[in-house]
Amino acid sequence: MSGSFFALLDDIAVLARAAAASIDDVVAGAAKASAKSAGVVIDDAAVTPQYVRGISPSRELPVVWRIARGSLLNKAGIIVGIMLLSIWAPWVFPWLLLVGGTYLAYEGAEKVWHWIGALRGHGDEHTVDEVVERTETDEKQIVGSAVRTDLVLSIEIMLISLANIDADSWLMRLAILVVVGLLMTVIVYGSVALLVKMDDAGFWLRRRRPRALKVLGIWLVKAMPVVFRLLSIVGVVAMLWVGGHILIVNLAEVGVPWPYELLHAITHSVHGPAIVTWLIDSGLSAVFGLIWGAVVVAVLAVVARLRFVKPAAR
């Protein structure tokens, strides 16, 4: 009887070690997969704060939470969809990534075009908070718009993560994707919550008595517009870099290998530290993304012009 009891304890210990090893594998796989999607995560974190600027400070965190909840629902649906596709139609993933990479490259190139127009004095772009003030958009519309943007970026995060998971087990891949989805949502919307409340923290510190706190509060209030502008720049660079890299890699997957081969040849011809190779790879990927996106912008502009050309009078 006692032998059976100790044998049971041994079995429990073995199962516990196996479960711990599986958790370690999931965490390690999630960390690796998440690192590959860092560019899209940066873009997501850079874009989202714009949606909650211009609304009442007391409603900023509730709105962020509603967007985060929508993001979790997005990721849940995406994970179910891509895991089923991985069984029935895995060949579709490179094409989906090409579509997503094209979207990112287009968004990045369009923003660069707007910046160029603004520098030339022809910019007509409005910030989200200006639009909110002009049209009195309610919270439901703001959340809906942010969740739709998150849907595209979440698809990219999940597809990139899946492409970089080495596990053979379907359940292991599913577990890693769930961890990635939760981790990315916490990182992105935790960062967004901190960013949107920084100016409030600055105003609060300005009213404190020690001079050092007042100076810190003033610095925070003045710094946040600069931080948001820098985030916009980082977001655009990330879109072009990630979009370009996705396009280069997946063009090779669908039978157009020369961009990847050219990039590979250039990076391997440079003999230097790994960081130099990474910077060259990222820079060339961003340039490729900008060129690809500019072509898409031009094509869409021509199509839009043709659609609105009035037929000649007879």
Side-chain angles (χ1 to χ4, degrees):
M1 185 75 178
S2 61
S4 299
F5 175 73
F6 286 115
L8 176 61
L9 290 181
D10 287 340
D11 291 341
I12 292 173
V14 170
L15 290 173
R17 285 196 295 270
S22 297
I23 292 172
D24 288 342
D25 291 341
V26 169
V27 172
K32 179 181 177 182
S34 300
K36 295 294 184 179
S37 59
V40 187
V41 174
I42 292 170
D43 179 48
D44 203 356
V47 169
T48 306
Q50 305 300 323
Y51 287 96
V52 294
R53 295 177 67 192
I55 65 175
S56 171
S58 64
R59 297 299 304 161
E60 286 175 342
L61 291 182
V63 169
V64 170
W65 162 242
R66 289 173 64 186
I67 298 172
R69 186 174 59 192
S71 177
L72 286 172
L73 293 174
N74 282 344
K75 290 181 177 68
I78 292 164
I79 289 172
V80 171
I82 65 177
M83 290 307 295
L84 292 176
L85 284 174
S86 70
I87 298 173
W88 296 325
W91 55 267
V92 80
F93 288 136
W95 296 102
L96 291 176
L97 284 165
L98 284 174
V99 172
T102 298
Y103 174 81
L104 291 175
Y106 162 74
E107 285 287 309
E110 186 182 42
K111 289 181 180 179
V112 170
W113 178 252
H114 278 295
W115 288 347
I116 294 172
L119 290 174
R120 297 172 59 188
H122 302 297
D124 58 353
E125 185 177 20
H126 297 281
T127 62
V128 173
D129 49 329
E130 288 171 344
V131 174
V132 170
E133 291 175 359
R134 187 177 69 248
T135 62
E136 298 182 355
T137 307
D138 59 19
E139 288 183 9
K140 184 176 180 181
Q141 291 173 307
I142 295 171
V143 171
S145 179
V147 170
R148 285 191 294 272
T149 300
D150 175 89
L151 176 63
V152 177
L153 296 173
S154 292
I155 290 172
E156 292 304 300
I157 290 171
M158 293 294 100
L159 286 176
I160 294 169
S161 299
L162 181 64
N164 288 279
I165 294 174
D166 296 328
D168 294 327
S169 168
W170 189 88
L171 286 176
M172 182 66 72
R173 293 198 300 273
L174 175 61
I176 291 173
L177 283 181
V178 170
V179 172
V180 169
L182 292 172
L183 181 64
M184 294 299 98
T185 303
V186 170
I187 290 174
V188 169
Y189 293 99
S191 301
V192 169
L194 287 174
L195 285 170
V196 300
K197 300 308 291 184
M198 278 295 183
D199 52 355
D200 291 343
F203 283 116
W204 182 82
L205 288 172
R206 287 174 60 180
R207 296 193 295 270
R208 301 304 98 187
R209 185 167 297 279
R211 179 173 174 78
L213 292 180
K214 290 183 178 181
V215 171
L216 177 60
I218 293 170
W219 181 84
L220 279 175
V221 172
K222 291 182 177 180
M224 289 317 296
V226 178
V227 169
F228 281 114
R229 283 196 292 271
L230 289 175
L231 276 176
S232 297
I233 295 171
V234 170
V236 171
V237 172
M239 276 192 286
L240 293 173
W241 156 45
V242 175
H245 191 74
I246 291 172
L247 289 166
I248 290 171
V249 170
N250 287 280
L251 282 171
E253 292 288 330
V254 299
V256 186
W258 67 264
Y260 181 82
E261 292 172 353
L262 179 61
L263 179 64
H264 185 78
I266 293 173
T267 54
H268 280 71
S269 66
V270 177
H271 301 287
I275 184 64
V276 174
T277 303
W278 180 84
L279 287 172
I280 293 172
D281 183 288
S282 300
L284 291 175
S285 296
V287 170
F288 185 84
L290 179 60
I291 294 171
W292 187 284
V295 171
V296 176
V297 169
V299 170
L300 292 179
V302 170
V303 170
R305 181 167 295 184
L306 291 175
R307 284 182 61 189
F308 291 102
V309 170
K310 294 182 179 179
R314 295 182 180 179

